[in-house]
Amino acid sequence: MRTWRTLMLQTKILIAFILVLFVVIGLTCLIFYYGNMRDTKTHTYSMLNTLSGQYSKTVDFFMDDIEKISLSIFSDPAIQGILANHAQISPKEGLKVRNELFALLFNYAHPRPEIAGIRLLTTDHISYHYEAGSTVNAEVFQEELWQTRLDAMSKSGYLLLPPTSSNEEGYREKNLSLVRHIYRIPRRDKIGSLKIDINAHEMGRLLVYSGSDPLGEQMRVFIVTDEGAVIYDNEDAYTGQRVAAFAHALSTDERKYSGEIDWLDKKYLYTSEKSDYTGWNILILLSNDFLVAKQQEAQIILVIVGLIAAVLASIVAYLIARHVTKPLRELITEMNRVERGDLSGRMDIKNRGELGVLSRVYNNMLNSISRLITEVYESKLAENDARLSALQAQINPHFLYNTLNIMKSISRLKGVEEVAEMSESLADLFKYTMKNLQLPVSLRQELEHVANYMNIQKHRFGDRFALRMEVSEELMNASVLKLTIQPLVENAIIHGFSRKKADAIINIKVCTEGELLLISVSDNGLGMEEQALKKLEQRLAEYSKRSKHDVQEDGEGIGLSNIHQRIQLLYGEGYGVKIAGSQGAGTTVTLIFPYKAFTPMLAEETRQ
């Protein structure tokens, strides 16, 4: 032990590395010799389970995407109009309908090569069939079994049909189908049916392995129903057929299952996973002979690798030990220079590991020391500049406020009452926002500020929008933070009503909930996309986790983040801004304050 302590770090690393390497190689050979076949099967099952799980999810996403396409066709206004009024369409108008449907169905099917065709069935037994590369054909059809099955399902239900085969000029194509009824919006009466044919060969694109790999060549991948009907076969030998051996293997009630199966006079390892979305089973088979051959190859490779590793162990260990200790020696040299008062030296960061982190921290420490020395020298100059800027900032707002009052007086003298009214409203609005942004005011004052803002907007937009308020008189004296409601009204006008030319409504509702004061600003405008709404909610939530010293402006003036920050800085994390809404259904922003009556004393306490 005493000898070990006196050794250099490089020598210790070299010896430890060689010992660990030889122990690991020896144990690996023993474990592989006695338990390789069992472990190989275990890992194979695990790999097949992973593949089946990934493929099952991929197929679910794929079919969910197809189902979304069916919903788009379902809700298309033009298709709704054609199906709803098809009984009144004359034979002369049939060609026009077919051309219109061709344009519509082409737009849905063309970007998706996996869609082999789309069929629309009317309630008066006319079938419009679109196939890729052709026009829309119209023909009379007889009621099909799947339509009867759909009649017994909910109006949002659909069916997935196993592959069918169609022969055209010697070309055989196997398709699976998604079918559903189409109901009139919003009356919900049945106006037709939809059938989307999907090329079963396209399911091969969803596989996560390469068929050119040795493992891929040995694996057989199937998508099978519980009855053994093969929806997809990666070798296309059994697609559209029923295999009794598969039905027997899938007879278990478990969602995931692994085992062995005898098929085509061979023994296979297999895993299956049942999809909760489609009800299909992903069945993956791997020949047992392939595993035996792989084990023999692995044993030979392991022996060769072990011998090579034993020869190279000493060389590799020496190089690693030298590489690890070299930066430490360089760091010691640099630290000796700092000890002598020289702060100009820096470490070269040559890697991203622990030594790289150590070098970067050392450099940052020297940079911080140098920066602190500079900041102490420059702090007095910066303080003087800040005082001059603060004095200058006080001049401009007062000048603009006085100018607006002069404009109001001149306009009244000239008889231009509308300009005078706008100048007065703008002056009051500007005066309200000039100072004491962090002081509470009464709800009445804040709503008067909103009224001044709306008076200006009325002159600009006319009757394009209306403001409604639901506020009881007893809440008018409630204490709120200054300049928090008007920015929400402004957001509704700018963002919510940017495309709304009439009948736009902004509703302000004030109520209490226990000890909370809730102020909601709602609009019937464009609303927000789900992704944008989640991003904004996350942004507000992230601020709540910061300390009060980390407050930053959001770059948007007095926006939602700014209001949320100001409320939480004054009242705490239990208060702030909540937002709700959806695209096309408007937006509701709610301010949450503690319910207190406003008094001048309360404002003075807040100032202190």
Side-chain angles (χ1 to χ4, degrees):
M1 182 61 68
R2 182 176 300 176
T3 304
W4 174 260
R5 292 177 180 175
T6 58
L7 294 175
M8 296 294 292
L9 178 59
Q10 179 175 327
T11 305
K12 291 179 179 179
I13 295 175
L14 177 63
I15 295 173
F17 188 87
I18 293 175
L19 290 176
V20 170
L21 183 61
F22 274 92
V23 170
V24 170
I25 291 175
L27 289 176
T28 302
C29 291
L30 290 174
I31 294 172
F32 187 85
Y33 181 79
Y34 289 106
N36 182 55
M37 192 60 186
R38 181 192 61 193
D39 293 341
T40 301
K41 282 190 175 182
T42 301
H43 293 315
T44 301
Y45 279 129
S46 176
M47 179 199 64
L48 295 180
N49 275 321
T50 301
L51 287 175
S52 63
Q54 290 176 345
Y55 190 37
S56 178
K57 291 179 181 178
T58 305
V59 171
D60 287 351
F61 289 145
F62 175 79
M63 296 309 300
D64 180 64
D65 199 22
I66 297 297
E67 199 266 335
K68 289 178 180 177
I69 294 176
S70 73
L71 287 177
S72 298
I73 298 174
F74 179 106
S75 57
D76 190 295
I79 293 177
Q80 284 268 326
I82 291 173
L83 294 180
N85 301 296
H86 190 270
Q88 287 78 38
I89 295 176
S90 65
K92 294 182 178 180
E93 297 174 328
L95 180 59
K96 179 180 178 182
V97 170
R98 288 167 55 190
N99 291 335
E100 184 176 355
L101 286 177
F102 173 78
L104 293 171
L105 299 182
F106 177 83
N107 289 334
Y108 287 111
H110 180 69
R112 305 301 298 263
E114 64 270 18
I115 297 180
I118 301 176
R119 187 183 298 271
L120 289 174
L121 308 177
T122 68
T123 54
D124 52 346
H125 295 85
I126 299 298
S127 170
Y128 292 97
H129 186 202
Y130 167 81
E131 289 184 352
S134 66
T135 60
V136 172
N137 297 317
E139 59 185 9
V140 179
F141 72 94
Q142 297 295 325
E143 190 83 8
E144 298 188 25
L145 177 61
W146 57 265
Q147 290 180 285
T148 305
R149 293 173 58 190
L150 282 174
D151 290 338
M153 298 175 62
S154 66
K155 293 185 177 181
S156 60
Y158 61 90
L159 293 174
L160 298 174
L161 306 181
T164 57
S165 300
S166 60
N167 290 294
E168 289 188 9
E169 300 179 0
Y171 177 71
R172 181 178 180 84
E173 182 177 358
K174 299 175 181 178
N175 301 323
L176 58 106
S177 304
L178 183 148
V179 295
R180 72 187 315 152
H181 283 328
I182 299 179
Y183 296 92
R184 192 201 309 260
I185 299 175
R187 293 167 55 181
R188 304 293 287 169
D189 56 315
K190 177 181 172 183
I191 58 175
S193 302
L194 169 67
K195 183 180 182 184
I196 300 179
D197 293 328
I198 305 152
N199 192 339
H201 296 97
E202 293 293 327
M203 305 299 285
R205 295 190 303 104
L206 308 179
L207 289 175
V208 295
Y209 76 95
S210 174
S212 60
D213 295 338
L215 179 62
E217 294 176 354
Q218 296 295 326
M219 283 197 315
R220 293 294 298 272
V221 181
F222 299 90
I223 302 177
V224 189
T225 66
D226 291 339
E227 295 77 20
V230 178
I231 295 172
Y232 169 74
D233 173 12
N234 65 326
E235 294 187 2
D236 201 30
Y238 292 92
T239 302
Q241 301 181 27
R242 292 184 181 272
V243 180
F246 293 169
H248 178 73
L250 299 173
S251 60
T252 176
D253 293 333
E254 296 182 12
R255 182 175 175 273
K256 284 188 175 184
Y257 190 75
S258 302
E260 297 185 4
I261 183 175
D262 292 324
W263 182 53
L264 299 179
D265 299 326
K266 284 187 178 181
K267 181 171 289 188
Y268 291 85
L269 303 181
Y270 80 92
T271 62
S272 68
E273 177 160 340
K274 187 179 183 67
S275 168
D276 294 331
Y277 182 78
T278 62
W280 295 339
N281 300 279
I282 305 299
L283 184 65
I284 301 181
L285 281 68
L286 183 64
S287 173
N288 192 61
D289 296 339
F290 175 76
L291 296 182
V292 174
K294 282 295 180 182
Q295 182 188 8
Q296 293 174 350
E297 293 177 5
Q299 287 175 340
I300 296 173
I301 294 174
L302 184 62
V303 172
I304 296 175
V305 170
L307 292 175
I308 296 175
V311 173
L312 298 177
S314 298
I315 299 175
V316 174
Y318 173 77
L319 294 176
I320 291 178
R322 183 175 180 81
H323 177 73
V324 169
T325 56
K326 181 180 178 180
L328 293 177
R329 294 194 297 269
E330 294 176 353
L331 181 60
I332 292 173
T333 301
E334 291 296 331
M335 293 180 72
N336 289 333
R337 291 178 58 185
V338 173
E339 188 178 13
R340 295 192 296 269
D342 183 3
L343 300 178
S344 62
R346 296 293 186 274
M347 290 289 297
D348 293 332
I349 302 176
K350 300 178 180 179
N351 60 71
R352 298 182 180 180
E354 290 82 355
L355 295 174
V357 173
L358 182 60
S359 299
R360 186 171 64 254
V361 171
Y362 173 78
N363 290 343
N364 291 338
M365 179 188 67
L366 293 183
N367 292 336
S368 298
I369 293 174
S370 300
R371 185 173 62 255
L372 288 174
I373 293 174
T374 303
E375 287 177 355
V376 170
Y377 174 77
E378 295 176 348
S379 60
K380 290 294 182 180
L381 293 176
E383 183 179 354
N384 291 336
D385 289 341
R387 289 177 179 176
L388 290 174
S389 298
L391 291 173
Q392 180 65 33
Q394 293 176 2
I395 298 173
N396 293 334
H398 285 284
F399 174 77
L400 181 57
Y401 174 68
N402 292 333
T403 302
L404 289 171
N405 282 325
I406 293 172
M407 290 174 59
K408 178 188 69 175
S409 300
I410 294 174
S411 298
R412 286 222 163 93
L413 289 174
K414 299 291 185 178
V416 188
E417 186 61 30
E418 187 177 49
V419 175
E421 183 180 347
M422 290 183 63
S423 299
E424 183 176 10
S425 296
L426 184 58
D428 292 341
L429 186 147
F430 193 70
K431 179 180 179 181
Y432 186 79
T433 60
M434 279 174 56
K435 59 182 180 178
N436 298 331
L437 194 63
Q438 290 301 112
L439 294 184
V441 296
S442 68
L443 179 60
R444 187 185 306 278
Q445 291 174 285
E446 185 69 6
L447 292 180
E448 288 174 354
H449 176 64
V450 172
N452 284 327
Y453 172 77
M454 290 298 294
N455 187 35
I456 296 173
Q457 297 302 324
K458 283 288 186 180
H459 287 287
R460 178 184 176 187
F461 294 105
D463 296 329
R464 181 176 167 182
F465 52 82
L467 176 67
R468 299 175 181 174
M469 295 189 186
E470 300 179 33
V471 189
S472 62
E473 182 63 30
E474 62 181 10
L475 295 180
M476 281 295 190
N477 198 42
S479 174
V480 297
L481 190 58
K482 191 175 186 180
L483 208 61
T484 53
I485 301 178
Q486 179 269 329
L488 304 184
V489 176
E490 183 176 355
N491 282 345
I493 294 174
I494 295 175
H495 302 294
F497 299 151
S498 60
R499 300 179 185 176
K500 203 173 183 69
K501 302 303 181 183
D503 298 326
I505 298 174
I506 302 174
N507 189 59
I508 299 177
K509 181 178 180 181
V510 183
C511 64
T512 59
E513 188 175 295
E515 298 181 355
L516 301 179
L517 178 69
L518 305 180
I519 304 174
S520 299
V521 179
S522 305
D523 65 73
N524 62 345
L526 299 176
M528 298 181 65
E529 295 181 355
E530 182 179 358
Q531 183 177 1
L533 182 61
K534 289 182 178 180
K535 184 177 180 181
L536 181 55
E537 290 175 342
Q538 181 181 5
R539 189 175 183 183
L540 296 178
E542 287 176 353
Y543 169 75
S544 300
K545 297 178 181 178
R546 302 188 204 145
S547 68
K548 293 184 179 181
H549 301 289
D550 294 332
V551 177
Q552 297 179 354
E553 291 293 335
D554 59 4
E556 300 174 357
I558 305 178
L560 291 178
S561 298
N562 183 287
I563 296 172
H564 185 68
Q565 293 176 16
R566 290 168 54 217
I567 293 175
Q568 290 205 341
L569 282 173
L570 189 61
Y571 298 112
E573 294 186 2
Y575 309 95
V577 176
K578 299 292 183 183
I579 185 168
S582 60
Q583 190 170 12
T587 306
T588 299
V589 181
T590 303
L591 304 178
I592 305 175
F593 292 99
Y595 181 35
K596 300 178 181 178
F598 173 77
T599 60
M601 183 178 298
L602 178 62
E604 185 62 30
E605 291 175 355
T606 304
R607 182 193 299 272
Q608 295 175 356

